[in-house]
Amino acid sequence: MPNSVSDPTRLARLRWRCRRGMLENDLVLERFLDARGPTITEDEVAMLDRLLDLTDPDLWDLIAGHTEPDDALTPIVRALRAC
């Protein structure tokens, strides 16, 4: 896949950053990374980085559909919701 992130060390760091204090977020993020793995794109990583800056409750509200993301994050939130 063009523009994919294939560096195993970088993927491991991303997976580590996805570890959260809230189990629900952990499970969704883990499933997402298991499904996307090395095919995750730079754009998806950038969107995921923005989401990971949120607090656990705010992130969960987006994933669970309690709130809607801004347009720039809609694709990644949809992908997370599908997991």
Side-chain angles (χ1 to χ4, degrees):
M1 172 180 274
N3 202 26
S4 66
V5 178
S6 58
D7 177 19
T9 302
R10 188 162 177 224
L11 289 171
R13 285 184 185 141
L14 180 61
R15 188 173 291 277
W16 180 257
R17 185 155 187 245
C18 285
R19 294 186 60 183
R20 306 297 292 201
M22 189 174 180
L23 179 61
E24 294 87 344
N25 287 336
D26 272 350
L27 295 173
V28 171
L29 292 166
E30 182 178 345
R31 283 192 303 247
F32 174 78
L33 290 176
D34 287 346
R36 295 292 173 122
T39 64
I40 193 169
T41 67
E42 292 288 345
D43 289 340
E44 289 172 326
V45 170
M47 287 184 279
L48 190 55
D49 278 337
R50 283 188 56 199
L51 287 179
L52 294 174
D53 287 338
L54 297 173
T55 65
D56 280 337
D58 290 341
L59 178 57
W60 178 247
D61 284 345
L62 283 172
I63 292 170
H66 300 149
T67 59
E68 292 301 317
D70 63 44
D71 291 340
L73 296 177
T74 298
I76 196 76
V77 171
R78 283 186 184 153
L80 289 168
R81 287 177 182 172
C83 288

